[in-house]
Amino acid sequence: MRPLTEEETKTLFQKLAEYMGKSVERLINRSDERHCFRLIKDRVYYVSESVMKASTSINKDNLLHCGTCLGKFTKSGKFRLHITALDYLAQYSKYKVWLKQSAEMSFLYGNNVMKSGLARITEDTPQYAGVVVYNLADIPLGFGVAAQTTDACKELAPTANVVLHQADVGEFLRGLEDDMF
Amino acid sequence: MMLRKKQTKEDRGREEEEEEEEEEASSTSSSEVGRQESDDDNDDNDELDSGSEESSDAQLDVDATSSGEEEEEEEEDDDDEDDDDSDDGLEEEGRDNEEFESGDDADAVDGKNANVDDGNVRDSCGGEQCTFDLTNLLAFNTHQINIADLYRVGGAGSNHTKLKRADWYGSSPTIESSTTAGVGVVNESLLLAKAVEGTTQLLRELWRLPTERTDVGMLARLPTASAVTKLPRSLPPPPPKQPSKWEQFALKRGIVPQSKRSRKVYDESTGEWKHLTGSAANRANAGPESWPIIEVKKNDDPNQDPWEKLREEKRARVGKNTVGRMRNAERAGVLEKGSANRLVKDSARLEKQRAIMREKDRKRGLVAPAGVPTDMPGRGGGGGYGDGVGGTAIIRRGKPSTTLALKATQVSTASLGRFDRLREGEPERKGQLLKSINGKKRKQFDADIGGGGTNKNFLQSEARQSSEILNRVINGPSSKERERDVRKGKFAKGETAYDYDFDDGLGGGSFRKKKGRAGAGKMKKVTKKRIK
């Protein structure tokens, strides 16, 4: 376990800023307890100070996780967000998308969201912005990337992609990534 | 290679085989006579063209004695070592071959004409033309065989002669059993005929080789390289190497590399023969670096270590050399463009950092003094230890300087203090020789972190740093940073920073878009002008 270098922190914040914008600052400076980012074997964990101090007493080989796993760094240095980060993304997300009942299951199986399944979308969503996907009961289902801006979505055909799928809560059951957990 | 004798035995053996083989096909004495006469007669062809199988078979029936006579004649010629005689021998051989071949064909093709047109290339004698690899004494008959002739369906009937002569092979050439009854038995005579044909053609070719006479007889000179032994390249040849800067200059000036130099050179100073390379101690003409005393010249600074100065100069030379080699490699396309410049910049930057740290340490008085200090920093104006009386200040070394000196002394042995016994009250030895600053990265993960990032100070600084980084991320990089990234090539669309559309008017240059062979097709740098 080690703290992140400057480069890694920058990459991480760039990724988070796509979804949360300025609210990343709220992750760093919290009112209750200070949280920090730690790296365990290329995975970034968002962990509170006390938990982090406690985890230092565990043997490095036996320590699997601590705190919340936000994602991992690939071999080429890029950062990939995992579904386990959904909690924080959903809390502070800037751009949201709501799905109809019919499209829910499709998204949970890993498909992109079509225009026919789109119920609501926040205004002024830029193209390729990070977007969190909710269902009509305001339960976060996952996150993705907006394929079009909000205005462009109105002129799309019903079968065109609106949100490109990146992660969804169905992955917990599907077990997509064998090394995720 | 004893051509004649070898062939003699072979021929004789073969001829005997042929003879035995054709015994059943009756041979008339007349044909035999005709055969003998043919030695001197050039009108063989008349006899050969008569088409009946029997007679043609008979022609094959060379009497062992007659052939022996021929051979003997040839050998006699050999002894005489006369040019004309050797030619005669050749001629006779040729004639033998002719008869063999036409006979073979007749036998093999079931009574068809010798000049049958089955799509195979025929040589001058009517046999199938083989290709040769004379270095390995090989003849390849790559022509197609008529399957109908090869397999005589029905079994034993047609091959009864072969079976009876099974003793050549030691065992029956074909297995007669109920299982092969309908399959077809291989026509051994056909194969044999083909083999004979090939051998005779080979021998004919061998006779055509340049020959030389030696005391052991006529020797033919085999070709050293043939198309079969010399395989073509499987991979394309490597591209020609780009000459380095010096090589170009030498070529232009006509500078030829000197003759080889001897391994050892006489060293004046020690009076020994020493190598040209190696450490300063063992090298010939080592120079001032190996001298125990160096004079101080007019322009030199007396306080500078001359050996250190020499070492620095050498380091500079080595660095210049490395950079030059990298530039040559870049020009040749072996190395990525810009790597030499990067190396120069990196080393310059590191050197600057080191110099700064050295200055800082010196200002703080944290330099381990070399030797006995004569000039001490402090009030009272330089030099000496005053007694404190009469205004001269006592200049003391001070604790930090003393401890530093002690640390330096501790590791000043040959084994860097590893095996020296500690004195009473002496502090532990630590490897302080590598205290120089390398970069921020080191600091973050060393003792400053404290327990893998649990240190309170560290956490506070971490939070601060993260906020700073976040601000930079959100507000975007400053214009200066942006410029720097552009210069570094972060936003270059091509492979390297050199892919910008900059035409300096000096022509294409040696730029390759891709390295190695892959660049062959993409040599031209595509610029806006070219697209148009």
Side-chain angles (χ1 to χ4, degrees), chain B residues 311-324:
Chain B
R311 250 174 275 144
E312 276 171 24
E313 281 169 11
K314 175 150 192 169
R315 258 181 248 132
R317 266 180 280 135
V318 167
K320 184 169 171 285
N321 235 316
T322 329
V323 169

Side-chain angles (χ1 to χ4, degrees), chain B residues 197-215:
Chain B
E197 190 182 308
T199 322
T200 46
Q201 281 191 28
L202 174 66
L203 292 171
R204 198 200 313 157
E205 278 300 312
L206 287 173
W207 272 107
R208 292 210 185 115
L209 287 172
T211 55
E212 61 189 27
R213 261 185 242 117
T214 62
D215 52 349

Side-chain angles (χ1 to χ4, degrees), chain B residues 223-269:
Chain B
T224 43
S226 66
V228 179
T229 42
K230 193 174 174 187
L231 293 175
R233 266 182 176 278
S234 57
L235 298 170
K241 271 206 299 195
Q242 268 250 4
S244 68
K245 222 36 196 317
W246 164 254
E247 279 167 8
Q248 286 174 6
F249 178 75
L251 205 67
K252 194 174 71 169
R253 284 292 208 94
I255 298 169
V256 173
Q258 292 172 353
S259 52
K260 284 190 190 167
R261 53 184 198 177
S262 55
R263 214 176 287 175
K264 288 202 176 183
V265 179
Y266 187 68
D267 183 20
E268 296 286 334
S269 47

Side-chain angles (χ1 to χ4, degrees), chain A residues 2 11-12 14 16 22 24 36 50 52 59 81 85 99 103 110 115 120 139 146 151 166 179 181:
Chain A
R2 67 165 173 87
T11 323
L12 170 70
Q14 270 172 349
L16 290 175
K22 287 210 180 102
V24 182
C36 52
S50 50
M52 189 259 296
N59 190 1
L81 267 177
L99 295 185
K115 189 185 162 194
R120 282 204 317 258
I139 301 172
D151 300 326
Q166 280 195 336
D179 60 341
F181 307 112

Side-chain angles (χ1 to χ4, degrees), chain A residues 39-56:
Chain A
L39 257 182
I40 301 179
K41 273 195 193 169
D42 291 336
R43 284 176 198 276
V44 176
Y45 292 91
Y46 182 61
V47 56
S48 71
E49 208 180 295
S50 50
V51 170
M52 189 259 296
K53 283 193 181 154
S55 65
T56 54

Side-chain angles (χ1 to χ4, degrees), chain B residues 206-435:
Chain B
L206 287 173
W207 272 107
R208 292 210 185 115
L209 287 172
T211 55
E212 61 189 27
R213 261 185 242 117
T214 62
D215 52 349
V216 292
M218 295 286 291
L219 287 184
R221 197 158 274 284
L222 293 178
T224 43
S226 66
V228 179
T229 42
K230 193 174 174 187
L231 293 175
R233 266 182 176 278
S234 57
L235 298 170
K241 271 206 299 195
Q242 268 250 4
S244 68
K245 222 36 196 317
W246 164 254
E247 279 167 8
Q248 286 174 6
F249 178 75
L251 205 67
K252 194 174 71 169
R253 284 292 208 94
I255 298 169
V256 173
Q258 292 172 353
S259 52
K260 284 190 190 167
R261 53 184 198 177
S262 55
R263 214 176 287 175
K264 288 202 176 183
V265 179
Y266 187 68
D267 183 20
E268 296 286 334
S269 47
T270 48
E272 289 173 352
W273 286 85
K274 287 190 177 172
H275 291 276
L276 280 166
T277 52
S279 69
N282 302 334
R283 197 170 56 212
N285 310 323
E289 63 209 24
S290 64
W291 300 342
I293 299 174
I294 297 181
E295 296 169 355
V296 176
K297 301 234 171 62
K298 225 195 288 182
N299 298 331
D300 283 353
D301 174 18
N303 286 336
Q304 191 198 21
D305 183 2
W307 293 276
E308 186 58 49
K309 183 166 163 230
L310 287 166
R311 250 174 275 144
E312 276 171 24
E313 281 169 11
K314 175 150 192 169
R315 258 181 248 132
R317 266 180 280 135
V318 167
K320 184 169 171 285
N321 235 316
T322 329
V323 169
R325 271 193 291 124
M326 286 179 83
R327 288 224 176 87
N328 278 333
E330 274 178 38
R331 218 175 291 122
V334 171
L335 209 58
E336 194 182 67
K337 291 260 182 187
S339 42
N341 288 339
R342 242 175 273 141
L343 181 71
V344 170
K345 279 195 188 151
D346 280 345
S347 41
R349 179 172 53 86
L350 286 173
E351 190 50 49
K352 234 194 277 179
Q353 282 181 351
R354 281 192 211 114
I356 290 168
M357 287 319 298
R358 255 181 262 135
E359 269 307 307
K360 277 197 196 161
D361 285 343
R362 202 174 301 148
K363 286 206 183 106
R364 279 152 48 189
L366 291 177
V367 195
V372 178
T374 53
D375 299 285
M376 289 286 297
R379 297 171 294 125
Y385 297 86
D387 55 357
V389 173
T392 48
I394 298 173
I395 301 162
R396 293 209 166 80
R397 201 168 187 162
K399 191 173 180 191
S401 186
T402 315
T403 44
L404 262 183
L406 177 61
K407 281 181 190 172
T409 338
Q410 277 175 332
V411 287
S412 302
T413 52
S415 48
L416 300 181
R418 268 184 76 184
F419 306 111
D420 299 331
R421 218 175 283 147
L422 279 174
R423 295 256 176 266
E424 198 184 313
E426 193 181 337
E428 277 275 330
R429 271 179 222 122
K430 283 175 197 165
Q432 297 108 2
L433 290 182
L434 306 165
K435 200 78 212 268

Side-chain angles (χ1 to χ4, degrees), chain A residues 3-6 10 13-14 22 24-25 28 34 36-38 49 52-53 56, chain B residues 444-445 449 451-454 458-460 462-463 466-467 469-470 472-474:
Chain A
L4 278 77
T5 61
E6 212 182 295
K10 202 164 97 168
F13 286 163
Q14 270 172 349
K22 287 210 180 102
V24 182
E25 180 256 335
I28 306 169
R34 183 156 54 202
C36 52
F37 299 98
R38 287 290 177 268
E49 208 180 295
M52 189 259 296
K53 283 193 181 154
T56 54
Chain B
Q444 205 174 2
F445 302 136
I449 283 190
T454 52
F458 174 74
L459 285 171
Q460 281 174 352
E462 194 198 356
S466 310
S467 311
I469 295 171
L470 182 61
R472 251 190 285 155
V473 165
I474 289 178

